[in-house]
């Protein structure tokens, strides 16, 4: 079996988890689900020794603001990524995939497999995750580009959906992608039993994706490869060329490749997955809810309150007579939200950006 090289995307800012998540200290560098930060959890998950496949040290892709803290956290674990790749500007996941494929092809050969995954997802079942990697690797070795599909548990409108096509061994051909449908459409998708949530986790041969990107998005491919070729390299630190990378169009791997390629496949992955995309997701996955359904992080006191999530940096917070609320207290900001509206925190962040507020950084 080909070597599997995990490439962990850690450059996002996690705007929907403001005010805890900031540009210089985003959600993946916080301990939100366990005592480890999310990037630490992700690295440990893919660094586990396996007999069924050969897994290489991970590559971490992130931005300059986050590099030093991420390095400190991984050093604390005793984990040494092969490279920290610094993006001078944000250019979305297609550019990351192109850089990752080029770097892996250069160091391991074009037969090596890239496991491209976000640093800010929670996966409860590590054994099932590794079983999904094993299944995906057999497809990727045959020239497929594999995405991990999550069985929908509700008609979520914030996720992309994958319609499965012909059966493969293992997995399925991808018939169609649909990005963030409305509730009625999502309900119809779930009723058919033929749809999965798109987890944003991919596996592919480095040579396969480079060829597909040359064909479907040559501007992204050429700019990304040039940024890597002209990068500044000091030991394990690879700083992409700002000029070359800045010329790269911004697009997602889903739009640039997965919706265009004939090689798209999906492997069902029952792994206890959450993208931790909003405060409500942290309430969903919390295993220490009170009998009233409340979750407290910090010095919190509830009175006649149900189904609520409260996080505080140390200040005493009291919540009285509420149902389904989220309260987050940091040193310089307080968020109060209806629990069903936490996706709209992104709109609040946009307003803060328009005002040039420093609380975003």
């Amino acid at each position: 079996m080909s070597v599997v090289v995990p490439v962990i995307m850690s450059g996002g800012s996690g705007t929907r988890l403001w005010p805890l998540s900031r540009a210089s200290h985003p959600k993946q560098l916080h301990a939100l689900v366990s005592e480890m930060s999310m990037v630490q959890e992700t690295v440990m998950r893919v660094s586990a020794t396996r007999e069924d496949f050969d897994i290489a040290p991970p590559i971490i892709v992130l931005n300059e603001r986050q590099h030093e803290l991420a390095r400190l956290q991984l050093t604390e674990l005793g984990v040494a990524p092969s490279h920290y790749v610094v993006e001078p500007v944000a250019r979305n996941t297609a550019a990351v995939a192109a850089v990752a494929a080029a770097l892996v092809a250069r160091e391991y050969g074009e037969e090596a497999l890239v496991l491209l995954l976000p640093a800010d997802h929670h996966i409860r079942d590590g054994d099932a995750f590794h079983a999904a990697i094993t299944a995906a690797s057999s497809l990727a070795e045959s020239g497929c580009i594999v995405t991990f599909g999550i069985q929908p548990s509700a008609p979520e409108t914030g996720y992309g959906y994958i319609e499965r096509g012909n059966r493969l061994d293992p997995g399925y051909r991808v018939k169609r992608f649909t990005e963030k449908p409305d509730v009625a459409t999502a309900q119809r998708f779930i009723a058919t039993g033929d749809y999965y949530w798109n987890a944003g986790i991919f596996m592919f041969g480095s040579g396969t994706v480079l060829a597909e990107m040359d064909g479907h998005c040559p501007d992204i491919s050429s700019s990304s490869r040039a940024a890597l070729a002209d990068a500044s390299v000091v030991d394990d630190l690879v700083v992409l060329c700002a000029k070359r990378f800045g010329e790269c169009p911004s697009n997602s791997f889903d739009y640039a490749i997965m919706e265009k390629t004939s090689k798209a496949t999906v492997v069902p992955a029952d792994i206890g997955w959450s993208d931790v995309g909003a405060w409500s997701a942290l309430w969903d996955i919390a295993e220490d809810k009170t009998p009233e359904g409340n979750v407290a992080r910090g010095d919190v006191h509830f009175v006649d309150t149900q189904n609520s999530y409260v996080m505080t940096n140390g200040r005493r917070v009291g919540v009285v007579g509420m149902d389904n609320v989220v309260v987050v207290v940091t040193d310089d900001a307080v968020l109060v939200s209806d629990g069903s509206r936490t996706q709209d925190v992104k709109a609040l962040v946009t307003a803060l950006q328009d005002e040039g507020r420093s609380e975003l950084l």
Side-chain angles (χ1 to χ4, degrees):
M1 177 177 168
S2 303
V3 63
V4 176
V5 185
V7 177
I8 299 172
M9 300 179 288
S10 186
S13 56
T15 54
R16 287 172 294 177
L17 286 181
W18 185 89
L20 183 70
S21 184
R22 311 287 177 101
S24 59
H25 195 161
K27 66 175 180 177
Q28 60 268 26
L29 299 178
H30 286 279
L32 295 176
V33 183
S34 72
E35 293 183 356
M36 290 192 293
S37 73
M38 301 194 77
V39 71
Q40 287 177 317
E41 286 187 354
T42 303
V43 167
M44 292 303 291
R45 190 181 303 125
V46 299
S47 297
T49 301
R50 304 292 299 186
E51 295 180 357
D52 43 353
F53 54 86
D54 179 16
I55 193 158
I59 296 169
I60 314 296
V61 183
L62 68 184
N63 65 47
E64 187 175 13
R65 283 195 183 107
Q66 302 160 7
H67 163 245
E68 290 187 3
L69 182 53
R71 181 185 289 274
L72 177 63
Q73 290 186 356
L74 298 186
T75 299
E76 289 174 351
L77 293 180
V79 174
S82 61
H83 300 287
Y84 290 90
V85 178
V86 173
E87 300 175 287
V89 291
R91 284 296 180 265
N92 214 319
T93 53
V96 174
V99 168
L103 181 56
V104 169
R106 187 176 77 188
E107 306 227 338
Y108 297 92
E110 292 197 354
E111 299 303 312
L113 303 181
V114 176
L115 174 63
L116 187 69
L117 68 165
D120 55 359
H121 289 183
H122 175 62
I123 294 174
R124 186 176 61 251
D125 191 335
D127 289 340
F129 176 63
H130 284 102
I133 293 175
T134 301
S137 65
S138 66
L139 289 174
E141 285 183 318
S142 69
C144 296
I145 303 175
V146 188
T147 183
F148 288 36
I150 308 300
Q151 188 71 42
S153 58
E156 294 285 351
T157 59
Y159 297 152
Y161 284 70
I162 304 165
E163 183 180 9
R164 69 188 186 193
N166 294 336
R167 185 78 168 88
L168 299 172
D169 186 19
Y172 301 87
R173 293 282 180 190
V174 170
K175 186 174 183 179
R176 181 177 58 171
F177 289 90
T178 302
E179 186 65 17
K180 298 180 180 179
D182 59 30
V183 172
T185 303
Q187 289 173 333
R188 179 167 53 82
F189 285 174
I190 292 174
T192 69
D194 291 332
Y195 285 80
Y196 300 99
W197 287 337
N198 184 359
I201 302 172
F202 305 95
M203 181 176 277
F204 46 78
S206 57
T208 297
V209 154
L210 290 174
E212 289 294 290
M213 297 193 85
D214 285 345
H216 294 295
C217 52
D219 46 357
I220 294 176
S221 180
S222 60
S223 298
S224 299
R225 292 209 227 185
L228 178 63
D230 295 344
S232 171
V233 181
V234 179
D235 297 327
D236 62 357
L237 180 62
V238 179
V239 181
L240 300 175
C241 174
K243 180 178 184 300
R244 297 294 192 184
F245 204 63
E247 294 169 349
C248 182
S250 179
N251 202 351
S252 71
F253 187 68
D254 300 83
Y255 284 130
I257 292 298
M258 295 303 286
E259 293 190 7
K260 298 176 181 178
T261 183
S262 61
K263 300 177 181 294
T265 59
V266 57
V267 167
D270 184 11
I271 56 180
W273 172 88
S274 171
D275 72 343
V276 194
W279 289 109
S280 56
L282 284 169
W283 182 87
D284 287 338
I285 63 179
E287 297 181 353
D288 58 345
K289 296 183 181 75
T290 69
E292 296 78 22
N294 297 319
V295 177
R297 298 288 180 262
D299 191 4
V300 180
H301 189 80
F302 295 104
V303 175
D304 190 25
T305 293
Q306 299 82 38
N307 307 313
S308 295
Y309 184 99
V310 179
M311 174 183 284
T312 174
N313 63 346
R315 301 180 187 182
R316 177 72 161 176
V317 175
V319 184
V320 179
M322 304 298 290
D323 184 20
N324 193 27
V325 297
V326 170
V327 180
V328 181
V329 179
T330 68
D331 287 337
D332 60 352
V334 176
L335 170 72
V336 181
S337 172
D338 184 302
S340 65
R341 298 285 304 275
T342 55
Q343 293 285 346
D344 294 336
V345 171
K346 192 169 184 177
L348 175 60
V349 168
T350 298
L352 294 172
Q353 288 173 333
D354 293 343
E355 296 171 17
R357 298 294 298 247
S358 63
E359 290 89 350
L360 292 176
L361 302 179

